[in-house]
Structures are given as C-alpha cells and as structure tokens.
Amino acid sequence: DQQVKQNSPSLSVQEGRISILNCDYTNSMFDYFLWYKKYPAEGPTFLISISSIKDKNEDGRFTVFLNKSAKHLSLHIVPSQPGDSAVYFCAASGGSQGNLIFGKGTKLSVKP
Amino acid sequence: GAGVSQSPSNKVTEKGKDVELRCDPISGHTALYWYRQSLGQGLEFLIYFQGNSAPDKSGLPSDRFSAERTGGSVSTLTIQRTQQEDSAVYLCASSSSGGSSYEQYFGPGTRLTVT
C-alpha cells in the first residue's frame, strides 16, 4: 500500500500561471515532508521542505502547504516558468527513520 | 563542491550475472541511502547507512541484494544473479546526518538493464 500518493501523473500549465501539485499521505507518524524536482537522466534535486509543526513554508516562487488533519500537502509554483517543467516528487519521513517515502511523481509541463 | 557521484551511469547485463554499482557520497556526509526507480514508479527505498551503525536493510527486495559502505564513505550495491525485474535506475543519496529532517542529495543514478 502506498503511504505517499500523488494522484495526478501529469499537469500542464501556461507560463506565468500558478502550478499546484498535490500529495496525500496515510501515515500519521510522518513529521517531515519534502518536494524534489527531477529532470530526465538526472537525480532528484531538493526543492523545499516543511516540518509537521508548520502549515506553510515559502521559498521564492515555491510555497508548500501542509494540512495535517487532511493528511495533504501541496506545492505552489507562481509564476510558473518553462524551466520548471520536470517531474515533481513528494516525499515524507518520520521518527528516527532516515529514509524517505516517495510518491510516484507528477510530470509538470509549463507551456510558453 | 562535488556532489554525489555514481558509476557506471549505464549498465547492461545478462540475466543471471552479478553486478556492482558504486556510490561516492558528498564528503563529510555521514548518512548514505540507496533507492531504485522502476519505470513509472516512485523511488523505492533499499538500504540506509548512518555512521558506524548497523545498516537499515529493511527495503532490500531479496537476499540477492546486498550493500556495504567502506570507511564510512564509498558504498557498493551488489545484485547477484540478476533478474529482468531488477531493471531500474538505482539512485544513491547522502545527507549530513541521519534522521528525518535532513535533506538528501542525490546522485545521477545508474540505469541497470537486465536482458
């Protein structure tokens, strides 16, 4: 069973508009959430994270929102740029466990 | 500074052969992780090394998989008697410490194809 779910395999957005990528999780023990971006033939690169004690974290054009009661987080990118086109992975970890649990990813395409 | 490096970048092997994949973590990082990504799937955790502690092998899919980390730095993932379902991109990551709140930095991966 998937503990981290990204239900949208793909998303297409116009340049300059907002991109919203969603992620749901099932394990209430998760206390840290991360978003990674992956280009083809490259490893994932860290984008932004949020601790479970917060509900929002912002870094430039990227904002992550966490709704613990709904076990849901989202990544907002505004304004979206063509260079943002990549696969975005949501990941979670908890307690003393160091490894990350990843979703299957959402492929974002930002059209000029 | 140098990031996480992995070798080889691509490996094609015949079913039944053994393969070794190498990972050089970022210097000074005490935690090292192996993941794999099969086609259309997310990243699947395999094994985790933290300092001198016994590794967390809970993600290894079978006893054909093993990994070691020598001198707290370089790690080798070995797959014995490879099967076609082992075909995937194998990714290594390191972080400055273990625990849940430390970002992991990934290498470019090794694409393994078992024919």
Side-chain angles (χ1 to χ4, degrees):
Chain A
D1 62 330
Q2 277 187 274
Q3 296 188 68
V4 178
K5 299 179 184 180
Q6 293 177 259
N7 292 320
S8 297
S10 63
L11 176 67
S12 183
V13 171
Q14 203 68 33
E15 180 179 7
R17 300 289 185 111
I18 185 171
S19 295
I20 301 177
L21 297 101
N22 293 302
C23 178
D24 297 291
Y25 62 96
T26 58
N27 190 339
S28 58
M29 296 299 293
F30 288 147
D31 60 5
Y32 201 68
F33 304 89
L34 307 90
W35 284 93
Y36 280 81
K37 180 169 74 172
K38 186 179 184 303
Y39 294 116
E42 294 184 12
T45 55
F46 170 74
L47 195 56
I48 192 169
S49 62
I50 188 167
S51 164
S52 61
I53 63 174
K54 295 185 176 181
D55 55 17
K56 177 182 175 181
N57 188 27
E58 189 172 355
D59 183 2
R61 296 186 297 115
F62 303 90
T63 303
V64 56
F65 295 92
L66 175 63
N67 182 334
K68 284 184 63 179
S69 60
K71 295 192 177 66
H72 177 84
L73 64 155
S74 60
L75 174 68
H76 293 209
I77 307 173
V78 56
S80 302
Q81 300 172 355
D84 296 330
S85 298
V87 177
Y88 289 78
F89 289 97
C90 172
S93 66
S96 60
Q97 191 175 22
N99 62 285
L100 298 173
I101 309 297
F102 283 86
K104 291 189 177 182
T106 296
K107 183 175 182 180
L108 174 65
S109 299
V110 180
K111 299 183 177 179
Chain B
V4 177
S5 61
Q6 294 186 245
S7 61
S9 55
N10 281 284
K11 176 72 177 178
V12 180
T13 190
E14 293 180 354
K15 177 182 173 181
K17 301 278 189 178
D18 297 353
V19 294
E20 282 189 356
L21 312 179
R22 177 187 167 105
C23 171
D24 281 271
I26 293 173
S27 177
H29 278 192
T30 60
L32 185 148
Y33 311 80
W34 282 98
Y35 297 86
R36 72 175 176 182
Q37 184 182 17
S38 303
L39 191 64
Q41 302 297 312
L43 280 73
E44 174 191 5
F45 165 70
L46 297 177
I47 188 169
Y48 159 46
F49 296 88
Q50 171 55 38
N52 295 320
S53 302
D56 176 356
K57 304 180 182 179
S58 60
L60 294 179
S62 79
D63 58 8
R64 296 186 295 105
F65 289 72
S66 63
E68 61 178 24
R69 189 178 185 193
T70 54
S73 182
V74 171
S75 177
T76 303
L77 177 69
T78 301
I79 310 174
Q80 296 178 310
R81 305 181 302 281
T82 52
Q83 303 295 313
Q84 288 186 331
E85 60 263 28
D86 300 334
S87 296
V89 176
Y90 288 81
L91 291 153
C92 175
S94 70
S95 68
S96 58
S97 183
S100 63
S101 61
Y102 290 87
E103 290 84 15
Q104 296 178 19
Y105 296 85
F106 283 82
T110 294
R111 180 175 296 276
L112 175 66
T113 304
V114 182
T115 61

